[in-house]
Amino acid sequence: MTTAAVPVPVPISIPVREILPWAVFTAILSLVLLYFVGTAQGAESIIHEFVHDGRHLLGFPCH
């Protein structure tokens, strides 16, 4: 009886140079989204209704 060799998975290392631009992009996009959620006071009723629950979740008053 012979045993087959089982390959061991090797983790891939991703250089910080490749992750950093995506991290910065995600941070900027998150800040822009937070800005729109925080400033929707009802002037744009569609945006306000869309982010209404998110405003309460993040602690922004709106009523």
Side-chain angles (χ1 to χ4, degrees):
M1 206 159 139
T2 61
T3 58
V6 178
V8 177
V10 178
I12 300 171
S13 84
I14 301 173
V16 174
R17 277 178 281 160
E18 294 181 15
I19 295 176
L20 189 61
W22 288 104
V24 170
F25 173 72
T26 303
I28 290 172
L29 191 63
S30 298
L31 289 173
V32 168
L33 182 63
L34 182 65
Y35 171 77
F36 281 117
V37 168
T39 60
Q41 290 290 336
E44 312 85 9
S45 64
I46 294 172
I47 294 174
H48 178 79
E49 291 303 319
F50 182 71
V51 300
H52 184 257
D53 293 334
R55 290 179 55 84
H56 291 296
L57 181 68
L58 294 171
F60 289 105
C62 66
H63 296 267

